[in-house]
Amino acid sequence: MFPTRKFRTTVRRGALYVILTLLALLFMFPFYWLIVSAFKTQAQIFTMPPQWLPHPATGHNFVELAHETNLLRAFVNSVINSAGHVLLSLFLCSLGGYAFAKFPGAPGH
């Protein structure tokens, strides 16, 4: 007996969900590794085979980051840069939208 159409659709959808879940895990792995490595010592980061969880977890890397860099200045630079790009994009896109709406050849004319 041949499988019904509903059964085939369910199997295809299930296979699609399995594939998408595996791809999502694959693409999320670098973020997991970034977060886990932030709590490792440098020796733990480079051990072979790799440690999947830091033992013991340490926050020393964050203290060292705060002492050796000007993190607040880097954050402010990023905000200024992003805000400038957003404002420029809004201005130019507004001009383009106006041109499309008001000039001949635009939809609605």
mmCIF file of all heavy atoms in Angstrom, residues 14-63:
data_model
loop_
_atom_site.group_PDB
_atom_site.id
_atom_site.type_symbol
_atom_site.label_atom_id
_atom_site.label_comp_id
_atom_site.label_asym_id
_atom_site.label_seq_id
_atom_site.Cartn_x
_atom_site.Cartn_y
_atom_site.Cartn_z
ATOM 1 N N GLY A 14 8.773 17.021 8.570
ATOM 2 C CA GLY A 14 9.626 16.566 9.663
ATOM 3 C C GLY A 14 11.092 16.561 9.264
ATOM 4 O O GLY A 14 11.956 16.989 10.035
ATOM 5 N N ALA A 15 11.392 16.079 8.059
ATOM 6 C CA ALA A 15 12.775 16.079 7.575
ATOM 7 C C ALA A 15 13.295 17.506 7.431
ATOM 8 O O ALA A 15 14.444 17.794 7.766
ATOM 9 C CB ALA A 15 12.860 15.336 6.240
ATOM 10 N N LEU A 16 12.447 18.399 6.949
ATOM 11 C CA LEU A 16 12.836 19.801 6.817
ATOM 12 C C LEU A 16 13.158 20.398 8.180
ATOM 13 O O LEU A 16 14.161 21.092 8.341
ATOM 14 C CB LEU A 16 11.724 20.601 6.137
ATOM 15 C CG LEU A 16 11.979 22.096 5.974
ATOM 16 C CD1 LEU A 16 13.142 22.346 5.032
ATOM 17 C CD2 LEU A 16 10.724 22.783 5.475
ATOM 18 N N TYR A 17 12.332 20.114 9.185
ATOM 19 C CA TYR A 17 12.579 20.631 10.532
ATOM 20 C C TYR A 17 13.870 20.072 11.114
ATOM 21 O O TYR A 17 14.614 20.786 11.784
ATOM 22 C CB TYR A 17 11.414 20.329 11.465
ATOM 23 C CG TYR A 17 10.204 21.208 11.223
ATOM 24 C CD1 TYR A 17 8.930 20.759 11.526
ATOM 25 C CD2 TYR A 17 10.322 22.478 10.679
ATOM 26 C CE1 TYR A 17 7.816 21.550 11.313
ATOM 27 C CE2 TYR A 17 9.214 23.276 10.461
ATOM 28 C CZ TYR A 17 7.967 22.808 10.780
ATOM 29 O OH TYR A 17 6.882 23.602 10.568
ATOM 30 N N VAL A 18 14.164 18.816 10.854
ATOM 31 C CA VAL A 18 15.411 18.228 11.345
ATOM 32 C C VAL A 18 16.609 18.914 10.690
ATOM 33 O O VAL A 18 17.574 19.290 11.359
ATOM 34 C CB VAL A 18 15.437 16.699 11.096
ATOM 35 C CG1 VAL A 18 16.828 16.127 11.312
ATOM 36 C CG2 VAL A 18 14.424 16.001 11.992
ATOM 37 N N ILE A 19 16.543 19.111 9.385
ATOM 38 C CA ILE A 19 17.640 19.768 8.663
ATOM 39 C C ILE A 19 17.813 21.202 9.148
ATOM 40 O O ILE A 19 18.938 21.652 9.401
ATOM 41 C CB ILE A 19 17.392 19.712 7.142
ATOM 42 C CG1 ILE A 19 17.526 18.276 6.643
ATOM 43 C CG2 ILE A 19 18.342 20.630 6.396
ATOM 44 C CD1 ILE A 19 17.057 18.079 5.223
ATOM 45 N N LEU A 20 16.709 21.939 9.299
ATOM 46 C CA LEU A 20 16.792 23.326 9.756
ATOM 47 C C LEU A 20 17.318 23.422 11.188
ATOM 48 O O LEU A 20 18.077 24.335 11.517
ATOM 49 C CB LEU A 20 15.429 24.007 9.642
ATOM 50 C CG LEU A 20 14.949 24.279 8.222
ATOM 51 C CD1 LEU A 20 13.534 24.858 8.241
ATOM 52 C CD2 LEU A 20 15.893 25.222 7.506
ATOM 53 N N THR A 21 16.935 22.482 12.035
ATOM 54 C CA THR A 21 17.442 22.470 13.411
ATOM 55 C C THR A 21 18.939 22.210 13.428
ATOM 56 O O THR A 21 19.693 22.882 14.152
ATOM 57 C CB THR A 21 16.706 21.408 14.243
ATOM 58 O OG1 THR A 21 15.302 21.702 14.234
ATOM 59 C CG2 THR A 21 17.207 21.376 15.671
ATOM 60 N N LEU A 22 19.411 21.262 12.621
ATOM 61 C CA LEU A 22 20.849 20.987 12.551
ATOM 62 C C LEU A 22 21.621 22.190 12.017
ATOM 63 O O LEU A 22 22.699 22.524 12.527
ATOM 64 C CB LEU A 22 21.108 19.750 11.691
ATOM 65 C CG LEU A 22 20.636 18.418 12.285
ATOM 66 C CD1 LEU A 22 20.824 17.297 11.269
ATOM 67 C CD2 LEU A 22 21.374 18.122 13.575
ATOM 68 N N LEU A 23 21.086 22.851 11.010
ATOM 69 C CA LEU A 23 21.739 24.046 10.473
ATOM 70 C C LEU A 23 21.765 25.174 11.508
ATOM 71 O O LEU A 23 22.762 25.889 11.622
ATOM 72 C CB LEU A 23 21.047 24.517 9.201
ATOM 73 C CG LEU A 23 21.355 23.713 7.944
ATOM 74 C CD1 LEU A 23 20.475 24.166 6.784
ATOM 75 C CD2 LEU A 23 22.815 23.838 7.577
ATOM 76 N N ALA A 24 20.672 25.337 12.254
ATOM 77 C CA ALA A 24 20.637 26.376 13.287
ATOM 78 C C ALA A 24 21.692 26.105 14.355
ATOM 79 O O ALA A 24 22.394 27.021 14.801
ATOM 80 C CB ALA A 24 19.250 26.453 13.918
ATOM 81 N N LEU A 25 21.825 24.848 14.759
ATOM 82 C CA LEU A 25 22.854 24.496 15.743
ATOM 83 C C LEU A 25 24.253 24.743 15.189
ATOM 84 O O LEU A 25 25.133 25.243 15.898
ATOM 85 C CB LEU A 25 22.696 23.041 16.177
ATOM 86 C CG LEU A 25 21.468 22.741 17.027
ATOM 87 C CD1 LEU A 25 21.332 21.241 17.247
ATOM 88 C CD2 LEU A 25 21.524 23.480 18.335
ATOM 89 N N LEU A 26 24.447 24.412 13.934
ATOM 90 C CA LEU A 26 25.746 24.639 13.296
ATOM 91 C C LEU A 26 26.097 26.122 13.263
ATOM 92 O O LEU A 26 27.214 26.519 13.569
ATOM 93 C CB LEU A 26 25.738 24.062 11.878
ATOM 94 C CG LEU A 26 27.000 24.272 11.055
ATOM 95 C CD1 LEU A 26 28.127 23.401 11.604
ATOM 96 C CD2 LEU A 26 26.737 23.937 9.600
ATOM 97 N N PHE A 27 25.125 26.960 12.907
ATOM 98 C CA PHE A 27 25.382 28.392 12.809
ATOM 99 C C PHE A 27 25.486 29.061 14.174
ATOM 100 O O PHE A 27 26.093 30.118 14.303
ATOM 101 C CB PHE A 27 24.304 29.079 11.972
ATOM 102 C CG PHE A 27 24.357 28.694 10.522
ATOM 103 C CD1 PHE A 27 23.197 28.436 9.816
ATOM 104 C CD2 PHE A 27 25.555 28.570 9.858
ATOM 105 C CE1 PHE A 27 23.238 28.076 8.473
ATOM 106 C CE2 PHE A 27 25.612 28.212 8.518
ATOM 107 C CZ PHE A 27 24.450 27.962 7.833
ATOM 108 N N MET A 28 24.891 28.468 15.209
ATOM 109 C CA MET A 28 24.971 29.041 16.554
ATOM 110 C C MET A 28 26.227 28.602 17.296
ATOM 111 O O MET A 28 26.585 29.202 18.310
ATOM 112 C CB MET A 28 23.726 28.657 17.357
ATOM 113 C CG MET A 28 22.486 29.384 16.899
ATOM 114 S SD MET A 28 20.948 28.812 17.644
ATOM 115 C CE MET A 28 21.365 28.583 19.330
ATOM 116 N N PHE A 29 26.916 27.595 16.802
ATOM 117 C CA PHE A 29 28.097 27.078 17.494
ATOM 118 C C PHE A 29 29.182 28.136 17.712
ATOM 119 O O PHE A 29 29.748 28.201 18.808
ATOM 120 C CB PHE A 29 28.671 25.863 16.750
ATOM 121 C CG PHE A 29 29.896 25.313 17.416
ATOM 122 C CD1 PHE A 29 29.796 24.579 18.579
ATOM 123 C CD2 PHE A 29 31.154 25.562 16.889
ATOM 124 C CE1 PHE A 29 30.920 24.080 19.211
ATOM 125 C CE2 PHE A 29 32.291 25.085 17.505
ATOM 126 C CZ PHE A 29 32.171 24.340 18.674
ATOM 127 N N PRO A 30 29.517 28.994 16.735
ATOM 128 C CA PRO A 30 30.543 30.009 17.008
ATOM 129 C C PRO A 30 30.179 30.942 18.162
ATOM 130 O O PRO A 30 31.051 31.347 18.930
ATOM 131 C CB PRO A 30 30.652 30.779 15.693
ATOM 132 C CG PRO A 30 30.210 29.812 14.657
ATOM 133 C CD PRO A 30 29.146 28.989 15.306
ATOM 134 N N PHE A 31 28.897 31.275 18.311
ATOM 135 C CA PHE A 31 28.483 32.118 19.424
ATOM 136 C C PHE A 31 28.643 31.382 20.751
ATOM 137 O O PHE A 31 29.062 31.973 21.746
ATOM 138 C CB PHE A 31 27.037 32.583 19.242
ATOM 139 C CG PHE A 31 26.857 33.459 18.041
ATOM 140 C CD1 PHE A 31 26.204 32.976 16.923
ATOM 141 C CD2 PHE A 31 27.347 34.755 18.021
ATOM 142 C CE1 PHE A 31 26.050 33.774 15.814
ATOM 143 C CE2 PHE A 31 27.196 35.562 16.913
ATOM 144 C CZ PHE A 31 26.548 35.071 15.806
ATOM 145 N N TYR A 32 28.303 30.110 20.764
ATOM 146 C CA TYR A 32 28.514 29.291 21.958
ATOM 147 C C TYR A 32 30.000 29.267 22.317
ATOM 148 O O TYR A 32 30.363 29.477 23.472
ATOM 149 C CB TYR A 32 27.999 27.864 21.717
ATOM 150 C CG TYR A 32 28.525 26.862 22.713
ATOM 151 C CD1 TYR A 32 28.003 26.804 23.992
ATOM 152 C CD2 TYR A 32 29.571 26.007 22.379
ATOM 153 C CE1 TYR A 32 28.500 25.902 24.922
ATOM 154 C CE2 TYR A 32 30.072 25.105 23.291
ATOM 155 C CZ TYR A 32 29.533 25.054 24.561
ATOM 156 O OH TYR A 32 30.032 24.175 25.471
ATOM 157 N N TRP A 33 30.846 29.032 21.331
ATOM 158 C CA TRP A 33 32.287 28.933 21.580
ATOM 159 C C TRP A 33 32.838 30.276 22.069
ATOM 160 O O TRP A 33 33.704 30.324 22.939
ATOM 161 C CB TRP A 33 33.009 28.468 20.319
ATOM 162 C CG TRP A 33 34.391 28.004 20.621
ATOM 163 C CD1 TRP A 33 35.557 28.644 20.331
ATOM 164 C CD2 TRP A 33 34.756 26.811 21.307
ATOM 165 N NE1 TRP A 33 36.628 27.916 20.787
ATOM 166 C CE2 TRP A 33 36.151 26.784 21.392
ATOM 167 C CE3 TRP A 33 34.019 25.761 21.855
ATOM 168 C CZ2 TRP A 33 36.831 25.751 22.010
ATOM 169 C CZ3 TRP A 33 34.707 24.737 22.456
ATOM 170 C CH2 TRP A 33 36.096 24.736 22.530
ATOM 171 N N LEU A 34 32.347 31.376 21.543
ATOM 172 C CA LEU A 34 32.762 32.702 21.971
ATOM 173 C C LEU A 34 32.433 32.924 23.440
ATOM 174 O O LEU A 34 33.279 33.368 24.227
ATOM 175 C CB LEU A 34 32.073 33.766 21.113
ATOM 176 C CG LEU A 34 32.285 35.212 21.519
ATOM 177 C CD1 LEU A 34 33.572 35.729 20.901
ATOM 178 C CD2 LEU A 34 31.114 36.044 21.068
ATOM 179 N N ILE A 35 31.218 32.605 23.830
ATOM 180 C CA ILE A 35 30.795 32.815 25.213
ATOM 181 C C ILE A 35 31.550 31.892 26.158
ATOM 182 O O ILE A 35 32.020 32.316 27.218
ATOM 183 C CB ILE A 35 29.268 32.625 25.325
ATOM 184 C CG1 ILE A 35 28.563 33.748 24.581
ATOM 185 C CG2 ILE A 35 28.822 32.589 26.786
ATOM 186 C CD1 ILE A 35 27.094 33.533 24.370
ATOM 187 N N VAL A 36 31.691 30.621 25.788
ATOM 188 C CA VAL A 36 32.401 29.677 26.656
ATOM 189 C C VAL A 36 33.868 30.062 26.783
ATOM 190 O O VAL A 36 34.439 30.013 27.877
ATOM 191 C CB VAL A 36 32.236 28.237 26.109
ATOM 192 C CG1 VAL A 36 33.180 27.283 26.792
ATOM 193 C CG2 VAL A 36 30.806 27.778 26.302
ATOM 194 N N SER A 37 34.488 30.471 25.700
ATOM 195 C CA SER A 37 35.905 30.832 25.736
ATOM 196 C C SER A 37 36.160 32.092 26.549
ATOM 197 O O SER A 37 37.262 32.297 27.052
ATOM 198 C CB SER A 37 36.440 31.018 24.321
ATOM 199 O OG SER A 37 36.417 29.793 23.629
ATOM 200 N N ALA A 38 35.165 32.943 26.684
ATOM 201 C CA ALA A 38 35.335 34.158 27.482
ATOM 202 C C ALA A 38 35.576 33.821 28.949
ATOM 203 O O ALA A 38 36.183 34.608 29.669
ATOM 204 C CB ALA A 38 34.107 35.052 27.344
ATOM 205 N N PHE A 39 35.122 32.665 29.387
ATOM 206 C CA PHE A 39 35.269 32.267 30.788
ATOM 207 C C PHE A 39 36.397 31.260 31.005
ATOM 208 O O PHE A 39 36.508 30.681 32.080
ATOM 209 C CB PHE A 39 33.948 31.700 31.313
ATOM 210 C CG PHE A 39 32.867 32.737 31.384
ATOM 211 C CD1 PHE A 39 31.923 32.832 30.378
ATOM 212 C CD2 PHE A 39 32.819 33.628 32.435
ATOM 213 C CE1 PHE A 39 30.931 33.794 30.439
ATOM 214 C CE2 PHE A 39 31.829 34.599 32.492
ATOM 215 C CZ PHE A 39 30.887 34.686 31.495
ATOM 216 N N LYS A 40 37.232 31.043 29.987
ATOM 217 C CA LYS A 40 38.364 30.118 30.099
ATOM 218 C C LYS A 40 39.663 30.892 30.265
ATOM 219 O O LYS A 40 39.763 32.050 29.867
ATOM 220 C CB LYS A 40 38.492 29.258 28.833
ATOM 221 C CG LYS A 40 37.391 28.266 28.615
ATOM 222 C CD LYS A 40 37.679 27.497 27.343
ATOM 223 C CE LYS A 40 36.606 26.488 27.032
ATOM 224 N NZ LYS A 40 36.915 25.755 25.802
ATOM 225 N N THR A 41 40.670 30.207 30.790
ATOM 226 C CA THR A 41 42.007 30.773 30.784
ATOM 227 C C THR A 41 42.599 30.552 29.393
ATOM 228 O O THR A 41 42.083 29.753 28.601
ATOM 229 C CB THR A 41 42.899 30.098 31.839
ATOM 230 O OG1 THR A 41 43.038 28.722 31.498
ATOM 231 C CG2 THR A 41 42.314 30.244 33.235
ATOM 232 N N GLN A 42 43.700 31.227 29.104
ATOM 233 C CA GLN A 42 44.310 31.071 27.783
ATOM 234 C C GLN A 42 44.783 29.639 27.563
ATOM 235 O O GLN A 42 44.667 29.102 26.461
ATOM 236 C CB GLN A 42 45.474 32.040 27.617
ATOM 237 C CG GLN A 42 45.977 32.104 26.200
ATOM 238 C CD GLN A 42 46.958 33.229 25.989
ATOM 239 O OE1 GLN A 42 47.373 33.901 26.916
ATOM 240 N NE2 GLN A 42 47.321 33.447 24.744
ATOM 241 N N ALA A 43 45.290 28.993 28.593
ATOM 242 C CA ALA A 43 45.734 27.603 28.462
ATOM 243 C C ALA A 43 44.556 26.679 28.144
ATOM 244 O O ALA A 43 44.689 25.751 27.348
ATOM 245 C CB ALA A 43 46.420 27.155 29.749
ATOM 246 N N GLN A 44 43.396 26.939 28.754
ATOM 247 C CA GLN A 44 42.220 26.110 28.485
ATOM 248 C C GLN A 44 41.700 26.305 27.061
ATOM 249 O O GLN A 44 41.169 25.382 26.463
ATOM 250 C CB GLN A 44 41.102 26.443 29.474
ATOM 251 C CG GLN A 44 41.361 25.972 30.876
ATOM 252 C CD GLN A 44 40.284 26.441 31.834
ATOM 253 O OE1 GLN A 44 39.622 27.452 31.601
ATOM 254 N NE2 GLN A 44 40.112 25.703 32.917
ATOM 255 N N ILE A 45 41.854 27.504 26.531
ATOM 256 C CA ILE A 45 41.368 27.774 25.170
ATOM 257 C C ILE A 45 42.133 26.938 24.147
ATOM 258 O O ILE A 45 41.559 26.434 23.191
ATOM 259 C CB ILE A 45 41.486 29.278 24.846
ATOM 260 C CG1 ILE A 45 40.492 30.069 25.675
ATOM 261 C CG2 ILE A 45 41.256 29.537 23.364
ATOM 262 C CD1 ILE A 45 40.635 31.571 25.556
ATOM 263 N N PHE A 46 43.444 26.762 24.362
ATOM 264 C CA PHE A 46 44.282 26.093 23.373
ATOM 265 C C PHE A 46 44.561 24.629 23.695
ATOM 266 O O PHE A 46 45.411 24.024 23.044
ATOM 267 C CB PHE A 46 45.599 26.856 23.208
ATOM 268 C CG PHE A 46 45.395 28.217 22.597
ATOM 269 C CD1 PHE A 46 45.534 29.364 23.355
ATOM 270 C CD2 PHE A 46 45.035 28.341 21.266
ATOM 271 C CE1 PHE A 46 45.341 30.611 22.793
ATOM 272 C CE2 PHE A 46 44.833 29.578 20.698
ATOM 273 C CZ PHE A 46 44.987 30.726 21.465
ATOM 274 N N THR A 47 43.862 24.036 24.651
ATOM 275 C CA THR A 47 44.102 22.627 24.961
ATOM 276 C C THR A 47 43.520 21.743 23.871
ATOM 277 O O THR A 47 42.547 22.079 23.213
ATOM 278 C CB THR A 47 43.467 22.220 26.303
ATOM 279 O OG1 THR A 47 42.078 22.481 26.253
ATOM 280 C CG2 THR A 47 44.110 22.924 27.463
ATOM 281 N N MET A 48 44.142 20.589 23.685
ATOM 282 C CA MET A 48 43.639 19.578 22.744
ATOM 283 C C MET A 48 43.485 18.278 23.500
ATOM 284 O O MET A 48 44.428 17.858 24.146
ATOM 285 C CB MET A 48 44.609 19.370 21.579
ATOM 286 C CG MET A 48 44.510 20.410 20.527
ATOM 287 S SD MET A 48 42.862 20.363 19.825
ATOM 288 C CE MET A 48 42.904 21.806 18.828
ATOM 289 N N PRO A 49 42.401 17.614 23.448
ATOM 290 C CA PRO A 49 41.131 17.977 22.810
ATOM 291 C C PRO A 49 40.482 19.159 23.537
ATOM 292 O O PRO A 49 40.749 19.390 24.712
ATOM 293 C CB PRO A 49 40.282 16.719 22.962
ATOM 294 C CG PRO A 49 40.825 16.025 24.151
ATOM 295 C CD PRO A 49 42.291 16.347 24.186
ATOM 296 N N PRO A 50 39.639 19.905 22.827
ATOM 297 C CA PRO A 50 39.078 21.121 23.421
ATOM 298 C C PRO A 50 38.149 20.812 24.594
ATOM 299 O O PRO A 50 37.488 19.772 24.628
ATOM 300 C CB PRO A 50 38.295 21.758 22.277
ATOM 301 C CG PRO A 50 38.111 20.705 21.273
ATOM 302 C CD PRO A 50 39.203 19.708 21.455
ATOM 303 N N GLN A 51 38.117 21.738 25.543
ATOM 304 C CA GLN A 51 37.187 21.639 26.665
ATOM 305 C C GLN A 51 35.891 22.323 26.254
ATOM 306 O O GLN A 51 35.889 23.479 25.861
ATOM 307 C CB GLN A 51 37.743 22.340 27.902
ATOM 308 C CG GLN A 51 38.889 21.640 28.560
ATOM 309 C CD GLN A 51 39.319 22.398 29.805
ATOM 310 O OE1 GLN A 51 39.366 23.612 29.813
ATOM 311 N NE2 GLN A 51 39.631 21.657 30.852
ATOM 312 N N TRP A 52 34.774 21.621 26.350
ATOM 313 C CA TRP A 52 33.496 22.171 25.920
ATOM 314 C C TRP A 52 32.908 23.114 26.956
ATOM 315 O O TRP A 52 32.122 23.997 26.618
ATOM 316 C CB TRP A 52 32.514 21.053 25.588
ATOM 317 C CG TRP A 52 33.017 20.246 24.444
ATOM 318 C CD1 TRP A 52 33.576 19.002 24.498
ATOM 319 C CD2 TRP A 52 33.074 20.630 23.070
ATOM 320 N NE1 TRP A 52 33.965 18.595 23.240
ATOM 321 C CE2 TRP A 52 33.666 19.576 22.339
ATOM 322 C CE3 TRP A 52 32.688 21.763 22.367
ATOM 323 C CZ2 TRP A 52 33.878 19.617 20.980
ATOM 324 C CZ3 TRP A 52 32.891 21.803 21.002
ATOM 325 C CH2 TRP A 52 33.477 20.738 20.321
ATOM 326 N N LEU A 53 33.275 22.917 28.221
ATOM 327 C CA LEU A 53 32.838 23.807 29.290
ATOM 328 C C LEU A 53 34.054 24.216 30.103
ATOM 329 O O LEU A 53 34.919 23.381 30.386
ATOM 330 C CB LEU A 53 31.818 23.114 30.195
ATOM 331 C CG LEU A 53 30.471 22.787 29.560
ATOM 332 C CD1 LEU A 53 29.638 21.943 30.501
ATOM 333 C CD2 LEU A 53 29.729 24.057 29.201
ATOM 334 N N PRO A 54 34.142 25.478 30.513
ATOM 335 C CA PRO A 54 35.296 25.904 31.299
ATOM 336 C C PRO A 54 35.227 25.339 32.714
ATOM 337 O O PRO A 54 34.174 25.357 33.345
ATOM 338 C CB PRO A 54 35.173 27.432 31.310
ATOM 339 C CG PRO A 54 33.737 27.711 31.075
ATOM 340 C CD PRO A 54 33.232 26.585 30.238
ATOM 341 N N HIS A 55 36.356 24.801 33.166
ATOM 342 C CA HIS A 55 36.408 24.290 34.535
ATOM 343 C C HIS A 55 37.756 24.607 35.127
ATOM 344 O O HIS A 55 38.753 24.090 34.641
ATOM 345 C CB HIS A 55 36.161 22.782 34.571
ATOM 346 C CG HIS A 55 36.163 22.242 35.973
ATOM 347 N ND1 HIS A 55 35.125 22.494 36.830
ATOM 348 C CD2 HIS A 55 37.064 21.511 36.658
ATOM 349 C CE1 HIS A 55 35.395 21.914 37.979
ATOM 350 N NE2 HIS A 55 36.570 21.306 37.903
ATOM 351 N N PRO A 56 37.863 25.436 36.089
ATOM 352 C CA PRO A 56 36.814 26.298 36.668
ATOM 353 C C PRO A 56 36.598 27.533 35.802
ATOM 354 O O PRO A 56 37.517 28.014 35.142
ATOM 355 C CB PRO A 56 37.405 26.694 38.022
ATOM 356 C CG PRO A 56 38.878 26.692 37.797
ATOM 357 C CD PRO A 56 39.139 25.589 36.792
ATOM 358 N N ALA A 57 35.383 28.053 35.820
ATOM 359 C CA ALA A 57 35.071 29.265 35.062
ATOM 360 C C ALA A 57 35.706 30.457 35.762
ATOM 361 O O ALA A 57 35.727 30.531 36.985
ATOM 362 C CB ALA A 57 33.563 29.450 34.961
ATOM 363 N N THR A 58 36.241 31.365 34.970
ATOM 364 C CA THR A 58 36.909 32.533 35.539
ATOM 365 C C THR A 58 36.412 33.806 34.861
ATOM 366 O O THR A 58 36.092 33.797 33.676
ATOM 367 C CB THR A 58 38.442 32.426 35.393
ATOM 368 O OG1 THR A 58 39.033 33.583 35.944
ATOM 369 C CG2 THR A 58 38.867 32.276 33.951
ATOM 370 N N GLY A 59 36.330 34.884 35.616
ATOM 371 C CA GLY A 59 35.933 36.173 35.067
ATOM 372 C C GLY A 59 37.118 37.102 34.906
ATOM 373 O O GLY A 59 36.948 38.281 34.624
ATOM 374 N N HIS A 60 38.318 36.549 35.064
ATOM 375 C CA HIS A 60 39.539 37.365 34.988
ATOM 376 C C HIS A 60 39.699 38.029 33.623
ATOM 377 O O HIS A 60 40.237 39.136 33.534
ATOM 378 C CB HIS A 60 40.761 36.509 35.313
ATOM 379 C CG HIS A 60 42.047 37.261 35.234
ATOM 380 N ND1 HIS A 60 42.382 38.236 36.142
ATOM 381 C CD2 HIS A 60 43.060 37.222 34.327
ATOM 382 C CE1 HIS A 60 43.554 38.745 35.804
ATOM 383 N NE2 HIS A 60 43.990 38.148 34.710
ATOM 384 N N ASN A 61 39.232 37.390 32.575
ATOM 385 C CA ASN A 61 39.365 37.973 31.235
ATOM 386 C C ASN A 61 38.629 39.309 31.135
ATOM 387 O O ASN A 61 39.100 40.235 30.475
ATOM 388 C CB ASN A 61 38.824 37.015 30.177
ATOM 389 C CG ASN A 61 39.669 35.774 30.056
ATOM 390 O OD1 ASN A 61 40.855 35.784 30.356
ATOM 391 N ND2 ASN A 61 39.056 34.694 29.622
ATOM 392 N N PHE A 62 37.489 39.425 31.795
ATOM 393 C CA PHE A 62 36.718 40.659 31.748
ATOM 394 C C PHE A 62 37.407 41.761 32.549
ATOM 395 O O PHE A 62 37.399 42.924 32.150
ATOM 396 C CB PHE A 62 35.296 40.416 32.253
ATOM 397 C CG PHE A 62 34.529 39.457 31.400
ATOM 398 C CD1 PHE A 62 34.357 38.142 31.788
ATOM 399 C CD2 PHE A 62 33.996 39.865 30.194
ATOM 400 C CE1 PHE A 62 33.659 37.254 31.004
ATOM 401 C CE2 PHE A 62 33.296 38.988 29.391
ATOM 402 C CZ PHE A 62 33.133 37.679 29.792
ATOM 403 N N VAL A 63 38.002 41.398 33.675
ATOM 404 C CA VAL A 63 38.753 42.370 34.470
ATOM 405 C C VAL A 63 39.953 42.866 33.670
ATOM 406 O O VAL A 63 40.233 44.074 33.618
ATOM 407 C CB VAL A 63 39.197 41.738 35.816
ATOM 408 C CG1 VAL A 63 40.105 42.672 36.587
ATOM 409 C CG2 VAL A 63 37.990 41.334 36.634
#
